[in-house]
Amino acid sequence: MESVGPKNSLLYKDFESHPAAVVKCGRGIYLETEDGRKILDATSGAAVACLGYDNCEVRDAVALQLMDLSYCHPGFYKAKVAEDLAGFLVDSTNGQMSKAILCGSGSEAVEVAVKLAKTHFAHLPTPQPERTHFIARTGAWHGATLGALTLGDFRGRKDPFVDLIPQTASRVSACSTYRGLRNGESEEAYVCRLAQELDDEFQKIGPHRVCAFVAETVGGSASGCATPVPGYFPAMKAVCAKYGALLILDEVMCGMGRTGTLHAWEQESIVPDIQTVGKGLGSGYGAISAVLVNANLVDSFRASGKGFAHGQTYMAHPLAAAAALKVQQVIKKENLVANVRNMGDYLGQRLKSRLSSHQFVGDIRGRGLFWAVEFVVDKHSKKPFPANLGLNGRLHARGMKKGYEIALFNANGTYDGYAGDHFLISPPYIVTEAEIDDIVDRVCRVIEDTFAELVELAPKVQGLNGVQ
Ligand code: PLP
């Protein structure tokens, strides 16, 4: 029996057709539901729970913090534990970033990053208040609040609110070897083409009006773990520098170790001006995110003698900060980022060896413990499945059924002009080789059985005729 979501909470999936499983407890990398299912969480929620669900050290750190200080207003005080966490974050960048602003969610961090970038230009000795435009990328997801939706490109979540969203962003192509790199084109030529596209966009908007270029260092939910090709970010940063604009990297999903280094930009030979982190920071033990600010920007803020007009009641919350600080200490002590690299390589190999030849698997891509499988009707044309099929929803639903019991983070992808289907596999950093084997076995069964059902349905589904 599928359990039905709590009657009192209306979440977007709590409708009768999509009953959410009611989770009773979490153990290791498994979630146990009220109706007796033990779900292998292959996605850490959505790349959140990097330590799994029952880390005792984190639990004790939160309990101890609760005994000392539950809350203090961030406008009047600084909680000691929040200062310690900010110090940890700054140190983790080898002095490249020199301030951390602690917030409550990824969307808030993105909003803070945008406001901070604008404030930077307003506070320069010769102010540049006209820099209010942001250039983002196709297939981006930066969060659900109105300001963050401005930057995002996840049509399903954005379109219903388009008349409320500030129109202060435009878009250039994301970097995607699967969808963007042309046949026979070298990666160097591809990077030049993308840099030229960004340059053209600056020219179109008016370079003096552009505040920042905003990108996920490794694409997340909407683009499905799209990894940059070598040289991409240095080229994009050079275009920003040419026009005096900032580079904001959103690492809410791909940051804090998920791709095999604490900060994903460490693998890109650049340092951003502003960076966001979120999900992996608190590993789900606390609702927390952060904005890291480059030393150069901080110096210029300091020189201006002016502040940053931003405040929220639950910023730098002591309980969330205590959780995040302990999570990060455990990750360091147990050398878990190395495990992300090793297990990530293994996961990538296993997925490729089992699924590359599958008729409907178009691409398998990722880095560290951050992988996506993208589905296409036809490998040659890369044509996606018809949207009305709800393929990614079907894959997720099958994974949650008895006999499969694996959580896959399904998404309606948005890839450079295409809408399609993929799911993410982003297990906790504590995952073992045996658990990865189990994940890959279950993933293969989910895919086989979902497509077996679809092929039976094929004659009835518009756009699927001929699939076998
Ligand atoms: N930025 C990125 C890259 C994300 O992946 C997300 C969430 O998926 C967000 C921002 C928004 O974070 P939150 O859902 O915590 O508000």
Side-chain angles (χ1 to χ4, degrees):
M1 249 281 282
E2 303 256 302
S3 56
V4 178
K7 297 269 183 301
N8 301 327
S9 69
L10 181 65
L11 293 171
Y12 69 103
K13 279 188 178 154
D14 273 353
F15 300 117
E16 275 176 28
S17 56
H18 292 98
V22 179
V23 176
K24 207 174 51 173
C25 62
R27 300 281 180 259
I29 70 168
Y30 293 86
L31 288 169
E32 296 180 21
T33 62
E34 216 173 36
D35 62 1
R37 278 173 291 164
K38 192 174 164 196
I39 311 284
L40 199 179
D41 185 3
T43 65
S44 313
V48 177
C50 30
L51 292 186
Y53 290 102
D54 58 353
N55 188 284
C56 298
E57 288 183 69
V58 182
R59 183 196 61 196
D60 292 349
V62 176
L64 278 175
Q65 181 59 44
L66 193 51
M67 284 189 244
D68 277 345
L69 178 70
S70 56
Y71 174 75
C72 61
H73 194 280
F76 310 149
Y77 312 101
K78 287 178 174 194
K80 163 103 177 55
V81 68
E83 282 301 289
D84 290 347
L85 177 63
F88 168 89
L89 284 169
V90 165
D91 290 347
S92 74
T93 67
N94 267 334
Q96 302 279 11
M97 313 300 260
S98 68
K99 287 280 177 205
I101 303 170
L102 302 180
C103 320
S105 70
S107 305
E108 285 169 54
V110 167
E111 303 260 345
V112 167
V114 162
K115 290 167 73 177
L116 193 70
K118 171 163 187 346
T119 309
H120 162 73
F121 287 111
H123 286 180
L124 287 177
T126 309
Q128 300 178 28
E130 63 284 6
R131 285 198 188 261
T132 54
H133 186 90
F134 291 80
I135 303 178
R137 302 194 306 174
T138 52
W141 176 245
H142 296 291
T145 52
L146 293 176
L149 282 174
T150 300
L151 303 173
D153 190 32
F154 205 153
R155 307 313 304 266
R157 297 216 188 146
K158 184 170 177 166
D159 287 354
F161 308 106
V162 85
D163 42 0
L164 301 179
I165 297 171
Q167 303 300 314
T168 49
S170 55
R171 219 161 287 291
V172 292
S173 306
C175 184
S176 156
T177 36
Y178 183 60
R179 296 250 171 219
L181 186 67
R182 292 176 184 152
N183 272 346
E185 187 178 35
S186 70
E187 288 185 344
E188 290 79 9
Y190 182 38
V191 165
C192 287
R193 182 158 62 79
L194 291 173
Q196 188 58 53
E197 186 185 340
L198 181 61
D199 200 304
D200 292 346
E201 188 63 20
F202 268 89
Q203 289 299 335
K204 187 171 134 204
I205 302 300
H208 63 290
R209 291 190 49 228
V210 179
C211 189
F213 170 59
V214 186
E216 295 158 87
T217 318
V218 176
S221 12
S223 59
C225 302
T227 52
V229 299
Y232 169 75
F233 275 112
M236 302 312 260
K237 183 159 184 182
V239 176
C240 294
K242 176 175 167 191
Y243 296 116
L246 303 180
L247 172 65
I248 299 177
L249 290 185
D250 182 355
E251 299 206 353
V252 165
M253 198 170 206
C254 66
M256 301 314 297
R258 175 60 58 194
T259 65
T261 45
L262 203 58
H263 304 293
W265 53 257
E266 290 174 62
Q267 298 173 60
E268 302 304 326
S269 316
I270 44 119
V271 181
D273 296 300
I274 301 176
Q275 170 196 3
T276 57
V277 291
K279 299 167 188 282
L281 177 60
S283 189
Y285 289 88
I288 192 158
S289 63
V291 179
L292 304 189
V293 193
N294 192 292
N296 297 332
L297 248 68
V298 172
D299 289 346
S300 112
F301 258 94
R302 224 174 245 138
S304 79
K306 296 177 188 156
F308 173 44
H310 183 85
Q312 288 183 286
T313 305
Y314 288 117
M315 289 178 84
H317 194 282
L319 297 182
L325 185 59
K326 185 52 78 178
V327 164
Q328 296 309 318
Q329 287 166 346
V330 171
I331 288 175
K332 198 167 179 179
K333 179 177 63 137
E334 297 183 6
N335 206 9
L336 289 178
V337 178
N339 199 51
V340 170
R341 285 193 293 274
N342 295 336
M343 290 300 107
D345 287 349
Y346 184 63
L347 174 62
Q349 277 166 29
R350 296 302 303 139
L351 286 171
K352 284 180 180 169
S353 95
R354 296 280 301 273
L355 287 171
S356 289
S357 58
H358 192 283
Q359 181 186 358
F360 299 124
V361 171
D363 195 28
I364 301 168
R365 54 180 175 258
R367 186 180 285 175
L369 281 173
F370 197 44
W371 285 84
V373 180
E374 183 180 333
F375 298 92
V376 289
V377 176
D378 172 47
K379 277 181 190 276
H380 182 68
S381 66
K382 302 182 183 172
K383 186 179 161 211
F385 281 88
N388 65 355
L389 192 62
L391 174 61
N392 68 74
R394 286 171 188 265
L395 289 160
H396 175 78
R398 185 168 292 272
M400 294 297 281
K401 280 189 178 161
K402 262 208 157 46
Y404 302 92
E405 287 154 332
I406 179 163
L408 302 170
F409 178 36
N410 61 301
N412 271 120
T414 313
Y415 336 104
D416 222 0
Y418 296 81
D421 301 274
H422 62 250
F423 58 64
L424 304 193
I425 304 179
S426 50
Y429 302 175
I430 55 171
V431 74
T432 62
E433 207 168 283
E435 285 166 338
I436 285 184
D437 289 337
D438 192 7
I439 288 172
V440 175
D441 282 345
R442 292 188 201 209
V443 162
C444 290
R445 274 197 296 119
V446 166
I447 293 175
E448 280 310 321
D449 295 354
T450 303
F451 281 107
E453 183 188 69
L454 279 182
V455 167
E456 267 176 43
L457 280 176
K460 294 188 212 144
V461 182
Q462 213 188 357
L464 263 192
N465 303 346
V467 167
Q468 51 196 315

